[in-house]
Amino acid sequence: MRGLRLGVLGSGQGSNFVALAKAIERDRIPAEIVWVGSDRAEAKILEHAKKLNLPRVVCRKSNFRTKLEPEIEEELALALEKARVDLLVLAGYMRVVKDPLLRKFEGRMINIHPSLLPAFPGLRAWEQARMAGVKEAGCTVHWVNSQVDGGEILRQETVPVLAGDSAESLHGRIQEAEHRCLPQVVRGLAEGKIPWSEDPRK
Ligand code: GRF
């Protein structure tokens, strides 16, 4: 089977994007990042993508903070289709994905979230975990559906919450886990070891 063509959408630092790109190279994952997009022109993920010479897309300014207008999502979907993206990876993308993007990439979109879902969906999940006093935190990679952080779970990794952890130190430990977990899921999907509802390459 041919390699998986990946699109990555992010709003921030892009450390998951970098970890994924490195893992694909280092661990010979049969996948290729072919498209990188962001809702923020100043997002660091775009700088990282530039260094790797990857095509980058910044979407038009939105009037919303937590989602995009359907027309803007339509433009993104068209760009992704033009790039023949099989799987869309949300790596720190801070807007809720709705239709039409959700419909076009149904069963072909995954997200990384910094908690052990279903615990602590939403923003600053590591801070929520710390405040709740749990002893274990972690990350989750899941399929994206219309429920925020609610799609089927594909993989999780647990990290300890240590006495004296600050929000930053805990988030840092969770991010190290994210950088392992996301490439593992991409590998599983690329190799057909994690089931798809419909593998786009068939
Ligand atoms: C990650 O912690 C991810 O779980 C969350 O946003 C953060 C993005 O980090 N959704 P980065 O941009 O990949 O560094």
Side-chain angles (χ1 to χ4, degrees), residues 1-190:
M1 204 183 295
R2 68 172 171 81
L4 199 59
R5 295 174 67 83
L6 306 176
V8 181
L9 202 46
S11 311
Q13 295 302 312
S15 70
N16 278 289
F17 162 77
V18 172
L20 180 58
K22 280 192 182 151
I24 287 173
E25 207 44 41
R26 187 190 57 225
D27 305 336
R28 304 208 179 143
I29 298 173
E32 184 191 357
I33 300 173
V34 296
W35 184 98
V36 179
S38 184
D39 55 325
R40 292 176 58 236
E42 65 281 18
K44 278 260 173 10
I45 187 172
L46 295 170
E47 285 176 32
H48 292 303
K50 189 173 177 195
K51 279 190 214 140
L52 296 177
N53 252 323
L54 289 171
R56 300 169 303 280
V57 168
V58 180
C59 61
R60 257 195 303 135
K61 256 207 157 357
S62 166
N63 290 315
F64 302 112
R65 244 168 32 112
T66 56
K67 61 176 185 176
L68 293 176
E69 287 80 348
E71 314 81 81
I72 303 183
E73 277 204 350
E74 186 75 51
E75 287 168 12
L76 277 181
L78 279 175
L80 285 156
E81 275 167 5
K82 208 170 150 207
R84 291 180 288 117
V85 165
D86 298 312
L87 178 74
L88 179 56
V89 179
L90 305 183
Y93 179 60
M94 299 310 285
R95 302 199 191 224
V96 178
V97 177
K98 306 183 102 55
D99 283 342
L101 190 56
L102 189 59
R103 194 174 53 243
K104 295 225 166 117
F105 278 83
E106 199 183 348
R108 300 197 288 140
M109 195 188 321
I110 60 173
N111 179 47
I112 176 109
H113 181 78
S115 81
L116 297 171
L117 289 171
F120 313 123
L123 294 176
R124 293 183 68 82
W126 61 90
E127 181 71 356
Q128 295 185 50
R130 203 177 66 104
M131 300 299 280
V134 294
K135 298 294 172 212
E136 287 190 324
C139 66
T140 303
V141 180
H142 63 92
W143 288 117
V144 175
N145 66 10
S146 58
Q147 261 180 310
V148 177
D149 301 324
E152 187 195 336
I153 292 171
L154 294 167
R155 191 175 185 96
Q156 295 186 303
E157 189 175 321
T158 300
V159 303
V161 181
L162 303 178
D165 254 338
S166 62
E168 289 67 35
S169 63
L170 179 57
H171 188 210
R173 196 173 308 117
I174 292 172
Q175 284 222 295
E176 286 172 20
E178 290 185 331
H179 299 164
R180 290 184 288 270
C181 217
L182 182 60
Q184 283 160 355
V185 170
V186 170
R187 176 191 281 287
L189 289 167

